[in-house]
Amino acid sequence: MKRALIAAALSLSFLTLPAAMAEDGIKVQQVHFKTGESNASLQGKIAGRQTLDYVLGAKAGQSMVVNLTGKSSTYFNVLPPKSEEAIFIGSTLGNRFEGKLPANGQYRIRVYQMGAVEQFSTPHSFKLDIGITN
């Protein structure tokens, strides 16, 4: 019986490892709009397999627009509150997202690179334009 409990505990600990490791190394930056404004332009740099999350609060029914300019191997996804399932995947849908938001909470705009550039530590500049309207 004791061995069964230890085996169960060990298998549960392995189930939680991938989620903790997936978040490891993601740099998070809160997005703030200037007073009276509903958009922001952010400049950034990304290198190799680095992942950057830009986080901002929004409400269900609001519209979000995100536009990315930079190297063609740099992409972004839009992740809704409390979810790792993207509502927009830039590597397949392009460098512009425009849509109504499904829920209240903190949205993440996850910037990443794909392809050969993941193997190199050379930083690539990018610009994110983000807007929220009612």
Side-chain angles (χ1 to χ4, degrees):
M1 178 70 167
K2 189 175 182 180
R3 283 186 180 172
L5 287 173
I6 291 171
L10 283 174
S11 53
L12 284 175
S13 68
F14 288 120
L15 289 174
T16 59
L17 270 177
M21 290 170 33
E23 291 297 316
D24 208 25
I26 296 177
K27 183 179 174 185
V28 178
Q29 180 179 331
Q30 190 71 38
V31 176
H32 299 283
F33 297 145
K34 292 180 182 176
T35 304
E37 294 190 16
S38 60
N39 56 40
S41 289
L42 308 168
Q43 303 281 335
K45 289 188 179 196
I46 189 166
R49 292 194 170 126
Q50 185 178 27
T51 302
L52 308 172
D53 275 3
Y54 293 89
V55 180
L56 68 153
K59 295 180 181 177
Q62 287 185 309
S63 293
M64 177 188 282
V65 175
V66 180
N67 192 52
L68 172 73
T69 53
K71 190 162 179 73
S72 63
S73 56
T74 304
Y75 304 96
F76 75 93
N77 294 351
V78 177
L79 291 92
K82 300 177 185 175
S83 177
E84 288 295 318
E85 188 174 327
I87 59 173
F88 175 84
I89 300 173
S91 62
T92 57
L93 298 172
N95 290 334
R96 181 177 173 82
F97 165 74
E98 188 169 349
K100 285 210 180 268
L101 301 176
N104 294 340
Q106 297 292 307
Y107 283 80
R108 288 175 288 150
I109 300 167
R110 179 164 288 168
V111 178
Y112 58 97
Q113 297 188 110
M114 290 178 63
V117 295
E118 287 183 293
Q119 307 306 316
F120 302 103
S121 60
T122 305
H124 296 114
S125 298
F126 65 89
K127 181 181 172 191
L128 267 181
D129 293 308
I130 305 166
I132 301 280
T133 56
N134 289 324

